[in-house]
Amino acid sequence: MLSLDFLTVADLSGTVAGRFCARRFADHGAEVVLAAAPENGAAARDQDGLAAHLDARKRPLGDEPVTDLVRRADVVVLPGHEIPDLPVTERTILCRVTEFGRTGPRAGWRGGELVHQALSGLAHATGAADRPPLYGFGHRAYYAAGAAAFATAVAAVIERHRSGLGQLVEVAVAEVAATTSPSLIAQFGYNGTYPRRGAYPGLVDTYRCRDGWVVMFVLSGRWQPTCAAFGLDALVDDERFSTSKALNHHWPEASALIAEKLRHLDVATVVRMGEEHRLAVEAVSDLPTLLSDKETWTTGFWAEEIGGRLIPGPVPRSRPVGRAIPAAAVAGPRRRPLDGKRVLELTTAWAGPLTGRSLAFLGAEVIKVESVHNIDAWRGDPAGSDVQRYPDLTPGDRPYNRSSWFNTENSDKLSIEMNLKAPDAMAVMRELVSVSDVLVCNLAPGALGRLGLDYRTLRGLNARIVLLEINGFGSHSPLATHVGVGPTVEATTGAMSLIGYGDGVPYNSGSAYLDPFSGLLSTGLVLSALATGRGHHLELNLRGAGLQLLGEYLHDFPAAAAPSACPHGVFAAAGADEWLAVGVAEDSEWISLCAVLGRPDLSADPKLATLEGRLLRREELEDAVTAWSRHMDKHEAAELLQAHGIPAAPVCSGADLADDPHLEAIGFYQSLDHPEAGVHRYQGLPYRLRATPGQVRRSAPCLGADTVDVLRRVIGMSDAAIGDLLASGAATDNSRRA
């Protein structure tokens, strides 16, 4: 197991995010001492499940004074409010998670899962186009913030290895939530569009079968196999679907034809046919079914039983190699934590690239190895099929360099274009491995082995290499052979059964939430491995990551699923498709809400004084909120409610998120000049280190723009050897185009 057993962590946080951060340390072998009771921000009804999940493997404080614990701790996870007066040393790493940060117009706002889903754009994109946005479930934004806080704190540990000095690290839940949005900021800046509710980006949909539901994602190049699998061969040559660009444009029509076919089949048949044809399709599971599947729980999905109940288990599979090498502190100027580290990337889409972008932000040199023939899915079809990715809706001559999606998740990287099927290219890869610290890969399970880059080979080239593999289901799971992507993996976690309008129709989270959440977790994994000074083989699967978001539900589903606030939801505001989120959990908030609504009759009704009473009259109270909100600007309404201590937020679209005053004030936006896409604003990253801050230095690379530079500078190839490599087609030089 990946071990941080040289660290002592004091958990003083009391919050979901802080406790999850501290649990990540405990999962990695650190001594974690729980020294604070949960704060009221966590719903009382699911406290037992949360405690079982968030505080697993921590030790209670006991008789030791808090001051003594803090004095000997390496990391102190602080409460979200002001930093208390603590007996820290110059080596102490202080880690704090706040709702909105300490500055900016929302610094004093009340948070909550509903509030952060609304502000981040997640709620606006979830649900049906002709119905209100949907709130999801649980504490997703806070788990993500805890994962980001853990990664930031471990980055500070790595920096302390070099300088001997600690520092304050901070993460804001609002900033993490905005990080998990699917390139909304850049896409709107590129062309004024953003993903609409009910129209998830990509060829994906949820289908009713004879006995349940499935989610299918038709990946690039898989339209013909999809048609073959389900007896739709006539559609292959249909002019509406005969090219990738045409299929993308006519996807609603194609999806309707698929739906008509699948409704006559049972779920098991659809999933089996998908597996046989290498399609991304999975059954939508509900939590009771998931909990009854012991084989799933005992095979690679981070599960363990505590007191006869299940919670997500510790870190994924990790095989350390060699002896840990203690790092002596060296005095000198403070730099970024990963300055001097080199990362190779064989990644596509979101989770893997976000991991690499995070490591680059923290100082690593990240080299993305790619090819136009096996292109990153977020660069898009080389022909430019999805015009909403591109500046002014224009693909241009090289669409793969102009994608807002790719350019968001790949800043600060170098790109070398190589055909890894060529023997000469593989010789170059082996040279690169020998001088690198990390290889991140989120290709299909077994892909590295087929390339001749299995971990045993990598270890022979570089004993201290850290290999991280990200996949859908885990290489040793019953679903290992399934094609796993964010939306289809999410279907298998039970999460979709918690999102809906109450009519039995399940919905994906609008942003494929497992991808960015897995990217945050993966960043922490890589940093932890680097902190040990040992080589490691790490594996993270998206399904296991998704189960971390459901810990309290897995422990006690009825308690966690019970409503804990009322009124609570999304309400119509003035304007077309404009909405206001309001979540009243405490009785005092209810009294304040009645005052804002101008409804003293409701506050005077003793039957509504408690949550239980309000839940019995939920529809009546929701109607009362709507009667007020439908005439209000959503931003003004949220400001007014927050001024009265009521958790509320505008439900932000991509347009709102691209010009948000709070994100602007806290410096979240990054303006970058891309050689083929122009100057645009991009979402930032949430890792904030006081003494050694991360930094964005350059825009995402054009495909193959750095091939010659990397070959010459990193592995010392001669110009003649580089010329031979280019002439053979094993590598491509696009530096002049960049």
Side-chain angles (χ1 to χ4, degrees):
M1 178 179 288
L2 198 162
S3 181
L4 297 177
D5 58 3
F6 54 89
L7 294 175
T8 296
V9 178
D11 183 1
L12 311 184
S13 66
T15 64
V16 172
R19 291 159 70 193
F20 187 65
C21 168
R23 184 191 152 162
R24 302 306 296 153
F25 277 103
D27 286 345
H28 293 345
E31 178 197 13
V32 180
V33 182
L34 183 62
E39 292 184 357
N40 293 330
R45 289 172 182 252
D46 60 12
Q47 281 288 358
D48 289 345
L50 276 172
H53 177 33
L54 298 176
D55 300 330
R57 278 171 297 283
K58 298 177 186 176
R59 179 175 67 77
L61 179 62
D63 296 330
E64 182 181 19
V66 172
T67 52
D68 288 356
L69 169 64
V70 169
R71 193 173 286 111
R72 69 182 181 85
D74 299 282
V75 179
V76 179
V77 185
L78 298 165
H81 46 75
E82 289 302 312
I83 300 175
D85 185 17
L86 297 171
V88 298
T89 72
E90 65 176 8
R91 291 180 52 82
T92 307
I93 295 166
L94 299 174
C95 176
R96 188 170 77 156
V97 183
T98 63
E99 294 283 354
F100 295 96
R102 290 185 291 162
T103 61
R106 296 190 189 121
W109 273 31
R110 302 193 72 168
E113 185 64 29
L114 175 62
V115 167
H116 290 299
Q117 287 189 28
L119 289 171
S120 68
L122 178 60
H124 195 277
T126 302
D130 58 349
R131 302 183 74 174
L134 282 173
Y135 164 73
F137 61 89
H139 306 277
R140 287 181 290 174
Y142 294 90
Y143 287 130
F150 171 72
T152 312
V154 178
V157 170
I158 292 173
E159 162 59 26
R160 194 181 70 171
H161 285 342
R162 178 169 52 209
S163 67
L165 299 175
Q167 59 181 301
L168 172 66
V169 302
E170 296 184 280
V171 166
V173 181
E175 199 167 13
V176 176
T179 299
T180 63
S181 297
S183 310
L184 295 179
I185 293 164
Q187 180 175 324
F188 188 80
Y190 272 41
N191 53 48
T193 70
Y194 52 88
R196 301 289 176 162
R197 192 163 57 259
Y200 180 87
L203 308 183
V204 61
D205 217 332
T206 302
Y207 300 99
R208 185 192 293 273
C209 298
R210 192 160 51 197
D211 58 346
W213 297 84
V214 298
V215 175
M216 184 187 303
F217 198 135
V218 180
L219 299 172
S220 177
R222 306 308 294 168
W223 175 240
Q224 185 170 348
T226 300
C227 293
F230 302 112
L232 296 169
D233 300 87
L235 300 183
V236 173
D237 296 322
D238 189 311
E239 63 179 12
R240 294 172 296 173
F241 319 126
S242 58
T243 67
S244 59
K245 188 172 184 177
L247 178 60
N248 191 280
H249 182 71
H250 293 285
W251 171 244
E253 299 164 62
S255 186
L257 293 168
I258 294 172
E260 176 60 26
K261 193 73 174 182
L262 297 193
R263 73 184 184 90
H264 301 290
L265 303 175
D266 58 60
V267 168
T269 298
V270 173
V271 173
R272 176 177 52 79
M273 293 167 73
E275 184 177 11
E276 289 174 357
H277 288 79
R278 297 294 295 155
L279 307 177
V281 55
E282 295 296 340
V284 176
S285 300
D286 60 28
L287 278 165
T289 301
L290 186 68
L291 290 167
S292 67
D293 184 2
K294 283 286 186 179
E295 183 182 12
T296 290
W297 283 103
T298 56
T299 318
F301 288 137
W302 297 10
E304 62 184 358
E305 289 194 38
I306 294 182
R309 292 185 175 181
L310 291 162
I311 66 165
V315 296
R317 188 178 309 277
S318 168
R319 294 192 289 273
V321 176
R323 180 175 57 86
I325 303 174
V330 178
R334 308 294 290 271
R335 303 180 294 171
R336 292 188 295 174
L338 297 187
D339 279 348
K341 300 294 184 183
R342 179 174 294 122
V343 177
L344 298 180
E345 252 200 50
L346 289 171
T347 69
T348 184
W350 200 353
L354 174 56
T355 304
R357 178 165 76 107
S358 299
L359 300 173
F361 177 78
L362 294 169
E365 178 185 61
V366 178
I367 301 170
K368 190 174 181 75
V369 182
E370 49 185 341
S371 166
V372 74
H373 302 295
N374 189 24
I375 204 161
D376 185 317
W378 277 27
R379 280 196 184 273
D381 183 342
S385 58
D386 184 359
V387 297
Q388 291 190 347
R389 300 185 185 203
Y390 309 116
D392 302 320
L393 304 176
T394 304
D397 294 335
R398 292 176 292 279
Y400 43 80
N401 289 336
R402 290 166 54 82
S403 169
S404 60
W405 297 9
F406 180 88
N407 291 345
T408 293
E409 293 303 336
N410 290 277
S411 56
D412 280 317
K413 300 178 186 178
L414 305 173
S415 170
I416 61 172
E417 185 176 356
M418 292 201 303
N419 176 11
L420 294 184
K421 295 181 180 180
D424 290 346
M426 289 312 303
V428 172
M429 276 299 298
R430 289 190 286 272
E431 290 284 341
L432 287 171
V433 167
S434 70
V435 294
S436 296
D437 300 281
V438 180
L439 172 59
V440 178
C441 174
N442 70 338
L443 306 180
L448 282 181
R450 291 189 292 274
L451 289 171
L453 294 174
D454 58 277
Y455 185 58
R456 177 173 295 182
T457 300
L458 297 176
R459 187 179 65 193
L461 297 168
N462 182 348
R464 293 184 63 181
I465 192 76
V466 173
L467 170 62
L468 169 68
E469 294 190 82
I470 306 171
N471 53 50
F473 299 104
S475 59
H476 299 278
S477 81
L479 304 181
T481 59
H482 288 213
V483 178
V485 293
T488 60
V489 175
E490 185 177 347
T492 71
T493 65
M496 288 183 66
S497 67
L498 301 174
I499 306 175
Y501 295 100
D503 55 5
V505 180
Y507 286 86
N508 267 118
S509 62
S511 69
Y513 201 77
L514 296 191
D515 279 288
F517 182 59
S518 296
L520 295 172
L521 287 173
S522 294
T523 300
L525 279 176
V526 171
L527 290 167
S528 297
L530 292 174
T532 69
R534 303 170 71 175
H536 281 271
H537 183 188
L538 308 169
E539 182 182 303
L540 181 141
N541 67 79
L542 268 64
R543 194 188 195 197
L547 296 179
Q548 292 289 330
L549 301 170
L550 293 157
E552 63 270 28
Y553 293 87
L554 303 179
H555 183 266
D556 189 347
F557 175 69
S564 58
C566 183
H568 181 277
V570 172
F571 304 92
D577 201 23
E578 302 286 5
W579 306 89
L580 173 72
V582 181
V584 172
E586 300 177 11
D587 295 341
S588 60
E589 295 168 357
W590 164 245
I591 299 301
S592 297
L593 177 64
C594 292
V596 173
L597 300 182
R599 294 293 303 271
D601 57 312
L602 296 178
S603 61
D605 189 336
K607 294 181 180 179
L608 299 175
T610 64
L611 172 63
E612 289 71 21
R614 294 193 292 276
L615 287 170
L616 291 174
R617 293 164 61 180
R618 178 188 300 178
E619 289 189 17
E620 174 190 348
L621 303 187
E622 290 175 348
D623 289 344
V625 177
T626 300
W628 174 80
S629 65
R630 64 162 46 113
H631 305 293
M632 296 287 293
D633 173 84
K634 65 183 181 183
H635 300 282
E636 294 175 359
E639 291 278 1
L640 179 59
L641 291 170
Q642 285 281 355
H644 285 78
I646 303 162
V651 178
C652 291
S653 67
D656 296 314
L657 197 66
D659 190 24
D660 183 277
H662 184 76
L663 296 179
E664 177 78 56
I666 64 175
F668 180 70
Y669 298 126
Q670 303 290 328
S671 182
L672 299 172
D673 186 357
H674 188 278
E676 295 198 25
V679 179
H680 294 288
R681 169 183 276 186
Y682 299 86
Q683 63 201 47
L685 287 166
Y687 319 107
R688 293 184 178 264
L689 298 94
R690 177 70 61 85
T692 57
Q695 186 178 0
V696 177
R697 295 186 176 182
R698 56 182 283 175
S699 63
C702 293
L703 179 65
D706 306 290
T707 303
V708 171
D709 169 64
V710 169
L711 296 178
R712 181 184 293 135
R713 176 178 53 83
V714 175
I715 60 176
M717 286 187 71
S718 68
D719 289 346
I722 293 172
D724 291 342
L725 195 69
L726 298 175
S728 73
T732 303
D733 174 22
N734 288 320
S735 59
R736 294 179 182 177
R737 289 182 174 180

